[in-house]
Amino acid sequence: VEAFLRRALELLGALERVGRWRDLISALEGYCRLGEELRPRRPDVADVISKSMSDYCTPTRLLALATLHERDDEGRAIAADMLKALGTALAPGLIELMNRSAHQAKARALVPLMCEMAPTLAPALVAELDSCGPAAARVIVKVLGHAGAGHEAAVGSLAAHNDVQVAREPMPALARIGTPAAGTLVAPQIR
């Protein structure tokens, strides 16, 4: 499976280089769907597919998607479809990109798309919280605020972060979530 997917990633790169975006998006959706379908019967194969899709989401590739997103309406649509096709496989690459200070401004173009995908991305982003830098943590908290109920504890835990900007982000995110659990976490901060 690993050998097959290595070759598949090369072919996906070839589709990307020649600008066959719809074919590329369709192929990515197919691999991600296959991984989900195989998870109950063959979790080992599903893990290999998931890892390959994460490997495909390099910071350089995500930076190119951000550039494409800024280009025009068609570029925005392609970038949005690519991100949706990749789903949770985006998380490690996005975190790595956000941690690179030279590319943070460009990477912010993807934040609104990440917020739209928040319910899908949230579990993968929560798993990355312990390994990310302050810039990535701020983005994660913002996205988790759009993910809704169930992520209050992860967001609230960052209120005590040693980076002042990160420590400020949980309050608006918890207010956006708006659940009683979020209110319980906001009340002590207000007091």
Side-chain angles (χ1 to χ4, degrees):
V1 173
E2 288 173 354
F4 172 78
L5 286 168
R6 263 193 306 276
R7 178 70 179 130
L9 290 180
E10 291 171 15
L11 295 172
L12 292 174
L15 288 173
E16 184 178 350
R17 282 189 295 282
V18 297
R20 291 179 51 189
W21 298 109
R22 292 297 156 204
D23 293 334
L24 175 60
I25 291 165
S26 178
L28 291 171
E29 288 171 339
Y31 283 118
C32 290
R33 190 174 39 255
L34 179 62
E36 291 170 16
E37 290 171 3
L38 288 173
R39 176 117 354 243
R41 293 186 321 259
R42 293 296 307 266
D44 55 332
V45 174
D47 289 342
V48 171
I49 293 171
S50 178
K51 183 180 179 331
S52 293
M53 292 297 102
S54 290
D55 291 347
Y56 180 77
C57 298
T58 64
T60 303
R61 183 162 278 122
L62 294 174
L63 202 54
L65 278 177
T67 301
L68 184 64
H69 183 267
E70 293 175 333
R71 187 184 73 190
D72 57 17
D73 288 340
E74 181 187 10
R76 273 187 285 288
I78 290 168
D81 290 346
M82 285 277 292
L83 293 177
K84 288 175 186 165
L86 290 162
T88 58
L90 293 167
L94 284 169
I95 299 305
E96 190 176 338
L97 180 61
M98 296 292 176
N99 282 334
R100 293 181 180 178
S101 59
H103 301 298
Q104 287 173 0
K106 183 73 129 176
R108 281 193 204 104
L110 299 175
V111 173
L113 292 172
M114 292 169 59
C115 289
E116 288 176 24
M117 298 173 55
T120 302
L121 286 176
L125 293 176
V126 168
E128 298 285 337
L129 267 175
D130 293 334
S131 64
C132 68
R138 287 192 302 273
V139 170
I140 290 173
V141 170
K142 183 173 184 166
V143 173
L144 292 178
H146 286 82
H151 305 288
E152 298 90 347
V155 171
S157 70
L158 292 175
H161 199 278
N162 58 4
D163 183 279
V164 175
Q165 289 180 316
V166 174
R168 279 190 289 219
E169 291 296 324
M171 294 308 113
L174 289 168
R176 176 177 273 289
I177 293 171
T179 62
T184 302
L185 294 168
V186 172
Q189 297 298 322
I190 293 172
R191 276 189 235 120

